[in-house]
Coordinates of all heavy atoms in Angstrom, one line a residue:
M1 N 0.8 -1.2 0.0 CA 0.0 0.0 0.0 C 0.9 1.2 0.0 O 1.8 1.3 0.8 CB -0.9 0.0 1.2 CG -1.9 1.1 1.3 SD -3.1 1.1 2.6 CE -3.8 -0.5 2.5
P2 N 0.6 2.2 -0.9 CA 1.4 3.4 -0.9 C 1.4 4.2 0.4 O 0.4 4.3 1.1 CB 0.8 4.3 -2.0 CG 0.0 3.3 -2.8 CD -0.4 2.2 -1.9
A3 N 2.6 4.8 0.7 CA 2.7 5.6 2.0 C 2.9 7.1 1.6 O 3.5 7.4 0.6 CB 3.9 5.1 2.8
Y4 N 2.3 7.9 2.4 CA 2.3 9.4 2.2 C 2.7 10.0 3.5 O 2.5 9.5 4.6 CB 1.0 9.8 1.7 CG 0.5 9.2 0.5 CD1 -0.3 8.0 0.6 CD2 0.9 9.6 -0.8 CE1 -0.8 7.4 -0.6 CE2 0.5 9.0 -1.9 CZ -0.4 7.8 -1.8 OH -0.8 7.2 -3.0
S5 N 3.2 11.3 3.4 CA 3.5 12.1 4.6 C 2.6 13.3 4.6 O 2.4 14.0 3.5 CB 4.9 12.5 4.6 OG 5.8 11.4 4.7
I6 N 2.0 13.7 5.7 CA 1.3 14.9 5.9 C 2.3 15.9 6.6 O 2.8 15.5 7.7 CB 0.0 14.8 6.7 CG1 -0.9 13.8 5.8 CG2 -0.6 16.1 6.9 CD1 -2.2 13.5 6.5
N7 N 2.6 17.0 6.0 CA 3.6 18.0 6.5 C 3.0 19.3 6.7 O 2.0 19.7 6.1 CB 4.7 18.1 5.5 CG 5.2 16.8 5.0 OD1 5.8 16.1 5.7 ND2 4.9 16.5 3.7
V8 N 3.6 20.1 7.7 CA 3.2 21.5 7.9 C 4.4 22.3 7.6 O 5.5 22.1 8.1 CB 2.7 21.7 9.3 CG1 2.5 23.2 9.5 CG2 1.5 20.9 9.7
R9 N 4.2 23.3 6.7 CA 5.3 24.2 6.3 C 4.9 25.6 6.8 O 3.8 26.1 6.5 CB 5.6 24.2 4.8 CG 5.9 22.8 4.3 CD 6.0 22.8 2.8 NE 5.9 21.4 2.3 CZ 7.0 20.7 2.0 NH1 8.2 21.2 2.2 NH2 6.9 19.5 1.6
T10 N 5.8 26.2 7.6 CA 5.6 27.6 8.1 C 6.7 28.4 7.5 O 7.7 27.9 7.0 CB 5.5 27.7 9.6 OG1 6.8 27.5 10.1 CG2 4.6 26.6 10.2
P11 N 6.6 29.7 7.7 CA 7.8 30.6 7.3 C 9.1 30.2 7.9 O 10.1 30.4 7.3 CB 7.3 32.0 7.7 CG 5.9 31.9 7.7 CD 5.5 30.6 8.2
S12 N 9.1 29.5 9.1 CA 10.3 29.2 9.8 C 10.7 27.7 9.8 O 11.9 27.4 10.1 CB 10.2 29.7 11.2 OG 9.2 29.1 11.9
H13 N 9.8 26.8 9.5 CA 10.2 25.4 9.5 C 9.2 24.5 8.8 O 8.2 24.9 8.4 CB 10.4 24.9 11.0 CG 9.1 24.8 11.7 ND1 8.4 25.9 12.3 CD2 8.4 23.7 12.0 CE1 7.3 25.4 12.9 NE2 7.3 24.2 12.8
I14 N 9.7 23.2 8.6 CA 8.8 22.2 8.1 C 8.7 21.1 9.1 O 9.7 20.6 9.6 CB 9.4 21.6 6.8 CG1 9.6 22.7 5.7 CG2 8.6 20.5 6.2 CD1 10.4 22.3 4.5
A15 N 7.5 20.6 9.4 CA 7.3 19.5 10.3 C 6.6 18.4 9.6 O 5.6 18.6 8.9 CB 6.5 20.0 11.5
D16 N 7.1 17.2 9.8 CA 6.4 16.0 9.3 C 5.4 15.6 10.4 O 5.8 15.1 11.4 CB 7.5 14.9 9.1 CG 6.9 13.6 8.5 OD1 5.7 13.6 8.0 OD2 7.6 12.6 8.5
V17 N 4.1 15.8 10.1 CA 3.1 15.5 11.1 C 2.9 14.1 11.3 O 2.9 13.6 12.4 CB 1.8 16.2 10.7 CG1 0.7 15.9 11.7 CG2 2.0 17.7 10.6
H18 N 2.6 13.3 10.2 CA 2.4 11.9 10.4 C 2.4 11.2 9.0 O 2.2 11.8 8.0 CB 1.3 11.5 11.3 CG -0.1 11.8 10.7 ND1 -0.7 13.0 10.9 CD2 -0.9 11.0 9.9 CE1 -1.9 12.9 10.3 NE2 -2.0 11.8 9.7
K19 N 2.6 9.9 9.1 CA 2.5 9.1 7.9 C 1.2 8.5 7.7 O 0.5 8.2 8.7 CB 3.6 7.9 8.0 CG 5.0 8.4 8.2 CD 5.6 9.0 7.0 CE 7.1 9.3 7.3 NZ 7.6 10.3 6.5
V20 N 0.8 8.3 6.4 CA -0.5 7.7 6.1 C -0.3 6.7 5.0 O 0.4 7.0 4.1 CB -1.5 8.8 5.6 CG1 -2.9 8.2 5.2 CG2 -1.7 9.9 6.7
E21 N -1.0 5.6 5.1 CA -1.0 4.6 4.0 C -2.4 4.6 3.4 O -3.4 4.6 4.2 CB -0.6 3.2 4.5 CG 0.8 3.1 4.9 CD 1.2 1.7 5.3 OE1 0.3 0.8 5.4 OE2 2.4 1.4 5.5
S22 N -2.5 4.6 2.1 CA -3.8 4.7 1.5 C -3.7 4.2 0.0 O -2.7 4.5 -0.7 CB -4.3 6.1 1.5 OG -5.6 6.1 0.9
D23 N -4.7 3.4 -0.4 CA -4.8 3.1 -1.8 C -5.8 4.0 -2.5 O -5.9 3.9 -3.7 CB -5.3 1.6 -2.0 CG -4.2 0.6 -1.8 OD1 -3.1 0.9 -2.1 OD2 -4.5 -0.5 -1.3
D24 N -6.4 4.8 -1.7 CA -7.5 5.7 -2.2 C -7.2 7.2 -2.1 O -7.0 7.7 -1.0 CB -8.8 5.4 -1.4 CG -10.0 6.2 -1.7 OD1 -10.0 6.8 -2.8 OD2 -10.8 6.3 -0.8
L25 N -7.0 7.9 -3.2 CA -6.6 9.3 -3.1 C -7.7 10.2 -2.5 O -7.4 11.1 -1.9 CB -6.1 9.8 -4.5 CG -4.8 9.2 -5.0 CD1 -4.5 9.7 -6.4 CD2 -3.7 9.4 -4.1
E26 N -8.9 9.8 -2.8 CA -10.0 10.6 -2.2 C -10.0 10.4 -0.6 O -10.1 11.4 0.1 CB -11.4 10.1 -2.7 CG -12.6 10.9 -2.1 CD -12.6 12.3 -2.5 OE1 -12.1 12.7 -3.6 OE2 -13.1 13.1 -1.7
G27 N -9.7 9.2 -0.2 CA -9.6 9.0 1.3 C -8.4 9.7 1.8 O -8.4 10.2 3.0
L28 N -7.3 9.8 1.1 CA -6.1 10.5 1.5 C -6.4 12.0 1.7 O -6.0 12.6 2.7 CB -5.0 10.4 0.4 CG -3.7 11.0 0.7 CD1 -3.1 10.5 2.0 CD2 -2.8 10.8 -0.5
R29 N -7.2 12.6 0.8 CA -7.6 14.0 0.9 C -8.5 14.2 2.2 O -8.3 15.2 2.9 CB -8.3 14.5 -0.3 CG -7.5 14.6 -1.5 CD -8.1 15.2 -2.7 NE -9.5 15.1 -2.9 CZ -10.2 15.6 -3.9 NH1 -9.6 16.2 -4.8 NH2 -11.5 15.4 -4.0
V30 N -9.4 13.3 2.4 CA -10.2 13.4 3.6 C -9.3 13.3 4.9 O -9.5 14.1 5.8 CB -11.3 12.3 3.6 CG1 -12.0 12.3 5.0 CG2 -12.3 12.6 2.5
E31 N -8.4 12.4 4.9 CA -7.5 12.2 6.1 C -6.7 13.5 6.2 O -6.4 14.0 7.4 CB -6.6 11.1 5.8 CG -5.6 10.8 7.0 CD -6.2 10.5 8.3 OE1 -7.3 9.9 8.3 OE2 -5.6 10.8 9.3
M32 N -6.2 14.1 5.2 CA -5.5 15.4 5.2 C -6.3 16.5 5.9 O -5.8 17.2 6.7 CB -5.1 15.8 3.8 CG -4.3 17.1 3.7 SD -4.2 17.6 2.0 CE -3.2 19.0 2.2
A33 N -7.6 16.6 5.4 CA -8.5 17.7 6.0 C -8.7 17.4 7.5 O -8.7 18.4 8.3 CB -9.8 17.7 5.3
K34 N -8.9 16.2 7.9 CA -9.0 15.9 9.3 C -7.7 16.2 10.1 O -7.8 16.7 11.2 CB -9.3 14.4 9.5 CG -10.7 14.0 9.1 CD -10.9 12.5 9.3 CE -12.3 12.1 8.8 NZ -12.5 10.6 9.0
S35 N -6.6 16.0 9.5 CA -5.3 16.3 10.1 C -5.2 17.8 10.3 O -4.7 18.3 11.4 CB -4.1 15.8 9.3 OG -4.1 14.4 9.2
V36 N -5.6 18.6 9.4 CA -5.6 20.1 9.5 C -6.5 20.5 10.7 O -6.1 21.3 11.5 CB -6.1 20.8 8.2 CG1 -6.3 22.3 8.5 CG2 -5.0 20.6 7.1
G37 N -7.7 19.9 10.8 CA -8.5 20.2 12.0 C -7.9 19.8 13.3 O -7.9 20.6 14.3
E38 N -7.2 18.7 13.4 CA -6.5 18.3 14.6 C -5.3 19.2 14.9 O -5.1 19.6 16.0 CB -6.0 16.8 14.5 CG -7.1 15.8 14.5 CD -7.9 15.8 15.8 OE1 -7.3 15.9 16.9 OE2 -9.1 15.8 15.8
L39 N -4.6 19.6 13.8 CA -3.5 20.5 14.1 C -4.0 21.9 14.6 O -3.4 22.4 15.6 CB -2.8 20.8 12.7 CG -1.8 19.7 12.2 CD1 -1.4 20.0 10.8 CD2 -0.6 19.7 13.1
L40 N -5.0 22.4 14.1 CA -5.6 23.6 14.6 C -6.1 23.5 16.0 O -5.9 24.4 16.9 CB -6.7 24.1 13.7 CG -6.2 24.7 12.4 CD1 -7.4 25.0 11.5 CD2 -5.5 26.0 12.6
K41 N -6.7 22.4 16.3 CA -7.2 22.1 17.7 C -6.0 22.0 18.7 O -6.0 22.6 19.7 CB -8.0 20.8 17.7 CG -8.7 20.6 19.0 CD -9.6 19.4 19.0 CE -8.8 18.2 19.5 NZ -9.5 16.9 19.5
D42 N -5.0 21.2 18.3 CA -3.9 21.0 19.2 C -2.9 22.1 19.3 O -2.1 22.2 20.2 CB -3.2 19.7 18.8 CG -4.0 18.4 18.9 OD1 -5.1 18.5 19.6 OD2 -3.7 17.4 18.3
H43 N -2.8 23.0 18.3 CA -1.8 24.0 18.2 C -2.4 25.4 17.9 O -1.9 26.1 17.1 CB -0.7 23.7 17.2 CG -0.1 22.3 17.4 ND1 0.8 22.1 18.4 CD2 -0.3 21.1 16.9 CE1 1.2 20.9 18.4 NE2 0.5 20.2 17.5
A44 N -3.6 25.7 18.4 CA -4.3 26.9 18.1 C -3.5 28.1 18.3 O -3.6 29.1 17.5 CB -5.6 26.9 18.9
E45 N -2.7 28.2 19.3 CA -1.9 29.4 19.6 C -0.8 29.6 18.5 O -0.4 30.7 18.2 CB -1.3 29.4 21.0 CG -0.2 28.4 21.2 CD -0.6 26.9 21.3 OE1 -1.8 26.6 21.5 OE2 0.3 26.1 21.1
Q46 N -0.3 28.5 18.0 CA 0.8 28.6 17.1 C 0.5 29.2 15.7 O 1.3 29.9 15.1 CB 1.4 27.2 16.8 CG 2.8 27.2 16.1 CD 3.8 28.0 16.9 OE1 3.9 27.8 18.1 NE2 4.6 28.8 16.2
I47 N -0.8 29.0 15.2 CA -1.2 29.6 14.0 C -1.1 31.1 14.0 O -0.7 31.8 13.1 CB -2.6 29.1 13.5 CG1 -2.9 29.6 12.0 CG2 -3.7 29.4 14.4 CD1 -1.9 29.2 11.0
W48 N -1.4 31.6 15.2 CA -1.3 33.1 15.4 C 0.1 33.6 15.4 O 0.4 34.7 15.0 CB -2.1 33.5 16.6 CG -3.6 33.3 16.4 CD1 -4.3 32.3 16.9 CD2 -4.4 34.1 15.6 NE1 -5.6 32.4 16.5 CE2 -5.7 33.5 15.6 CE3 -4.2 35.2 14.8 CZ2 -6.8 34.0 14.9 CZ3 -5.3 35.7 14.0 CH2 -6.6 35.1 14.1
A49 N 1.0 32.8 15.9 CA 2.4 33.1 15.9 C 3.0 33.0 14.5 O 3.8 33.9 14.1 CB 3.2 32.2 16.9
D50 N 2.7 32.0 13.8 CA 3.2 31.7 12.4 C 2.5 32.5 11.4 O 3.0 33.0 10.4 CB 3.1 30.2 12.1 CG 4.0 29.4 12.9 OD1 5.0 29.9 13.4 OD2 3.7 28.2 13.1
Q51 N 1.2 32.6 11.5 CA 0.2 33.3 10.6 C -0.1 32.6 9.3 O -1.2 32.7 8.8 CB 0.7 34.8 10.3 CG 0.6 35.6 11.5 CD 1.0 37.1 11.2 OE1 1.7 37.4 10.3 NE2 0.4 38.0 12.0
D52 N 0.9 31.8 8.8 CA 0.6 31.1 7.6 C 1.2 29.7 7.7 O 2.3 29.5 8.0 CB 1.3 31.8 6.4 CG 0.6 33.1 6.0 OD1 -0.6 33.1 5.8 OD2 1.3 34.1 6.0
W53 N 0.3 28.7 7.4 CA 0.7 27.3 7.3 C 0.3 26.8 6.0 O -0.7 27.1 5.4 CB -0.1 26.4 8.3 CG 0.3 26.6 9.8 CD1 1.3 27.3 10.3 CD2 -0.4 26.0 10.8 NE1 1.2 27.2 11.7 CE2 0.2 26.4 12.0 CE3 -1.5 25.1 10.9 CZ2 -0.2 26.0 13.3 CZ3 -1.9 24.7 12.2 CH2 -1.3 25.1 13.3
Q54 N 1.2 26.0 5.4 CA 0.9 25.2 4.2 C 0.9 23.7 4.7 O 2.0 23.2 5.2 CB 1.9 25.4 3.1 CG 1.6 24.4 2.0 CD 2.6 24.5 0.8 OE1 2.8 25.6 0.3 NE2 3.2 23.4 0.5
V55 N -0.2 23.1 4.7 CA -0.3 21.6 5.0 C -0.3 20.9 3.7 O -1.2 21.2 2.8 CB -1.5 21.3 5.9 CG1 -1.5 19.8 6.3 CG2 -1.5 22.2 7.1
D56 N 0.6 20.0 3.5 CA 0.6 19.2 2.3 C 0.8 17.7 2.5 O 1.2 17.3 3.5 CB 1.6 19.8 1.3 CG 3.1 19.8 1.9 OD1 3.5 18.7 2.3 OD2 3.7 20.8 1.8
V57 N 0.4 17.0 1.4 CA 0.6 15.6 1.4 C 1.7 15.3 0.3 O 1.5 15.7 -0.8 CB -0.7 14.8 1.1 CG1 -0.4 13.3 0.9 CG2 -1.7 15.0 2.2
T58 N 2.7 14.5 0.7 CA 3.7 14.1 -0.2 C 3.8 12.6 -0.4 O 3.4 11.9 0.6 CB 5.1 14.6 0.2 OG1 5.4 14.1 1.5 CG2 5.1 16.2 0.2
D59 N 4.2 12.2 -1.6 CA 4.4 10.7 -1.7 C 5.8 10.4 -1.2 O 6.5 11.2 -0.7 CB 4.2 10.3 -3.2 CG 5.2 10.9 -4.2 OD1 6.2 11.5 -3.7 OD2 4.9 10.7 -5.4
D60 N 6.2 9.1 -1.4 CA 7.5 8.7 -0.8 C 8.7 9.3 -1.5 O 9.8 9.3 -1.0 CB 7.6 7.1 -0.8 CG 7.5 6.5 -2.2 OD1 7.2 7.2 -3.1 OD2 7.7 5.3 -2.3
S61 N 8.5 9.9 -2.7 CA 9.6 10.6 -3.3 C 9.7 12.1 -3.0 O 10.6 12.8 -3.4 CB 9.5 10.5 -4.9 OG 8.4 11.3 -5.3
G62 N 8.7 12.6 -2.2 CA 8.6 14.0 -1.8 C 7.8 14.9 -2.7 O 7.7 16.1 -2.5
L63 N 7.1 14.3 -3.7 CA 6.3 15.0 -4.6 C 5.0 15.5 -3.9 O 4.3 14.6 -3.2 CB 5.9 14.1 -5.8 CG 4.9 14.8 -6.8 CD1 5.6 15.9 -7.5 CD2 4.5 13.7 -7.8
I64 N 4.7 16.8 -3.9 CA 3.5 17.3 -3.2 C 2.3 17.0 -4.1 O 2.2 17.3 -5.2 CB 3.6 18.8 -3.0 CG1 4.8 19.1 -2.0 CG2 2.3 19.4 -2.5 CD1 5.1 20.6 -1.8
L65 N 1.3 16.3 -3.4 CA 0.1 15.9 -4.1 C -1.1 16.8 -3.9 O -1.9 17.1 -4.8 CB -0.3 14.5 -3.8 CG 0.8 13.4 -4.0 CD1 0.4 12.1 -3.4 CD2 1.1 13.3 -5.5
Y66 N -1.2 17.2 -2.6 CA -2.3 18.1 -2.2 C -1.8 19.1 -1.3 O -0.9 18.9 -0.5 CB -3.4 17.3 -1.5 CG -4.0 16.2 -2.4 CD1 -3.8 14.9 -2.0 CD2 -4.8 16.5 -3.5 CE1 -4.4 13.9 -2.8 CE2 -5.3 15.5 -4.3 CZ -5.1 14.2 -3.9 OH -5.7 13.2 -4.7
V67 N -2.5 20.3 -1.3 CA -2.1 21.4 -0.4 C -3.3 22.1 0.2 O -4.3 22.3 -0.5 CB -1.3 22.5 -1.1 CG1 -1.0 23.7 -0.2 CG2 0.0 21.9 -1.7
I68 N -3.3 22.3 1.5 CA -4.3 23.2 2.2 C -3.5 24.3 2.8 O -2.6 24.1 3.6 CB -5.1 22.4 3.2 CG1 -6.0 21.3 2.6 CG2 -6.0 23.4 4.0 CD1 -6.7 20.4 3.5
N69 N -3.9 25.5 2.5 CA -3.3 26.7 3.2 C -4.2 27.2 4.3 O -5.4 27.3 4.1 CB -3.0 27.8 2.1 CG -2.0 27.4 1.1 OD1 -0.9 27.1 1.5 ND2 -2.3 27.5 -0.1
V70 N -3.5 27.6 5.4 CA -4.3 28.1 6.6 C -3.6 29.4 6.9 O -2.4 29.5 7.1 CB -4.2 27.2 7.8 CG1 -5.0 27.8 8.9 CG2 -4.8 25.8 7.4
S71 N -4.4 30.5 7.0 CA -3.8 31.8 7.3 C -4.6 32.4 8.5 O -5.8 32.3 8.6 CB -3.9 32.8 6.2 OG -3.1 32.4 5.1
A72 N -3.9 33.1 9.4 CA -4.5 33.8 10.5 C -4.2 35.3 10.4 O -3.0 35.6 10.3 CB -4.0 33.2 11.8
I73 N -5.2 36.1 10.3 CA -5.0 37.5 10.0 C -5.9 38.3 10.9 O -7.1 38.0 11.0 CB -5.4 37.8 8.5 CG1 -4.5 37.0 7.6 CG2 -5.2 39.3 8.3 CD1 -5.0 37.0 6.2
G74 N -5.3 39.2 11.6 CA -6.1 40.1 12.5 C -6.8 41.2 11.6 O -6.2 41.6 10.6
S75 N -7.9 41.7 12.0 CA -8.6 42.8 11.2 C -8.1 44.1 11.8 O -7.5 44.2 12.9 CB -10.1 42.6 11.4 OG -10.5 43.1 12.7
P76 N -8.4 45.2 11.1 CA -8.0 46.5 11.7 C -8.6 46.8 13.0 O -8.0 47.4 13.9 CB -8.6 47.5 10.6 CG -8.5 46.7 9.3 CD -8.9 45.3 9.7
A77 N -9.8 46.2 13.3 CA -10.4 46.4 14.6 C -9.6 45.8 15.7 O -9.6 46.3 16.9 CB -11.8 45.8 14.6
T78 N -8.7 44.8 15.5 CA -8.0 44.1 16.5 C -6.5 44.6 16.5 O -5.8 44.2 17.4 CB -8.0 42.6 16.4 OG1 -7.5 42.2 15.1 CG2 -9.4 42.1 16.5
L79 N -6.1 45.3 15.5 CA -4.7 45.7 15.3 C -4.4 47.0 15.9 O -3.3 47.4 16.1 CB -4.3 45.7 13.8 CG -4.3 44.3 13.2 CD1 -4.0 44.5 11.7 CD2 -3.3 43.4 13.8
G80 N -5.4 47.8 16.3 CA -5.2 49.1 16.9 C -6.2 50.1 16.4 O -7.1 49.8 15.6
S81 N -6.0 51.3 16.8 CA -7.0 52.4 16.4 C -6.8 52.7 14.9 O -5.8 52.5 14.3 CB -6.8 53.6 17.3 OG -5.6 54.2 16.9
A82 N -7.9 53.4 14.4 CA -7.8 53.8 13.0 C -6.7 54.8 12.8 O -6.0 54.8 11.7 CB -9.2 54.4 12.6
A83 N -6.4 55.7 13.7 CA -5.4 56.6 13.6 C -4.0 56.0 13.5 O -3.2 56.4 12.7 CB -5.4 57.6 14.7
S84 N -3.8 54.9 14.3 CA -2.5 54.2 14.2 C -2.3 53.5 12.9 O -1.2 53.2 12.5 CB -2.3 53.3 15.4 OG -3.2 52.2 15.3
L85 N -3.4 53.2 12.2 CA -3.3 52.5 10.9 C -3.2 53.5 9.8 O -3.2 53.1 8.6 CB -4.5 51.6 10.7 CG -4.6 50.4 11.7 CD1 -6.0 49.7 11.5 CD2 -3.5 49.5 11.5
G86 N -3.3 54.8 10.0 CA -3.3 55.8 9.0 C -4.6 56.0 8.3 O -4.7 56.5 7.2
L87 N -5.7 55.5 9.0 CA -7.0 55.7 8.5 C -7.7 56.9 9.0 O -7.5 57.2 10.2 CB -7.9 54.5 8.8 CG -7.3 53.1 8.3 CD1 -8.2 52.0 8.8 CD2 -7.2 53.1 6.8
T88 N -8.4 57.6 8.3 CA -9.1 58.8 8.8 C -10.6 58.7 8.4 O -10.9 58.1 7.3 CB -8.5 60.1 8.2 OG1 -8.6 60.0 6.8 CG2 -7.1 60.3 8.6
A89 N -11.4 59.2 9.2 CA -12.9 59.2 8.9 C -13.2 60.3 7.9 O -12.6 61.4 7.9 CB -13.6 59.5 10.2
T90 N -14.0 59.9 7.0 CA -14.5 60.9 5.9 C -15.8 61.5 6.4 O -16.7 60.8 6.7 CB -14.7 60.1 4.6 OG1 -13.5 59.4 4.3 CG2 -15.0 61.1 3.5
P91 N -15.8 62.8 6.4 CA -17.1 63.5 6.9 C -18.2 63.2 5.9 O -18.0 63.1 4.7 CB -16.7 65.0 6.9 CG -15.3 65.1 6.5 CD -14.8 63.8 6.2
S92 N -19.4 63.0 6.4 CA -20.5 62.7 5.5 C -21.3 64.0 5.1 O -21.1 65.0 5.7 CB -21.5 61.7 6.1 OG -21.7 61.9 7.4

């Protein structure tokens, strides 16, 4: 049965999350999505530190087969006041 690796790539490192064996590529994609959910659950604080994750599945040669990107972005409301962002109110 073919073996695959589910990996997380961040701006600072690459982590091999776990190995999966599958004859079914559709099942492999579902397993990958479940892994992303578990990663977010188990490492919720880390996505905010890294801000961008690429989760991918590679075959035994390292060829990337599937990718899920996860990004964490604060909105202007959580980043500071409008003035500190260089935003000004327009009079109506």
Side-chain angles (χ1 to χ4, degrees):
M1 184 175 304
Y4 303 94
S5 294
I6 297 177
N7 311 291
V8 176
R9 300 171 196 271
T10 72
S12 61
H13 71 282
I14 299 172
D16 182 13
V17 176
H18 67 272
K19 305 286 187 203
V20 177
E21 290 186 352
S22 179
D23 281 328
D24 174 23
L25 292 179
E26 180 65 28
L28 180 61
R29 292 189 328 181
V30 170
E31 180 63 29
M32 177 190 186
K34 289 179 181 179
S35 293
V36 169
E38 289 297 316
L39 282 167
L40 287 170
K41 185 176 97 179
D42 294 343
H43 304 284
E45 71 289 340
Q46 193 60 43
I47 185 60
W48 291 104
D50 294 333
Q51 295 185 332
D52 291 305
W53 288 353
Q54 175 181 305
V55 182
D56 57 52
V57 174
T58 59
D59 65 10
D60 61 352
S61 72
L63 179 67
I64 295 174
L65 303 174
Y66 301 113
V67 174
I68 295 176
N69 290 306
V70 180
S71 295
I73 303 167
S75 75
T78 62
L79 296 175
S81 70
S84 71
L85 295 172
L87 303 175
T88 57
T90 305
S92 41

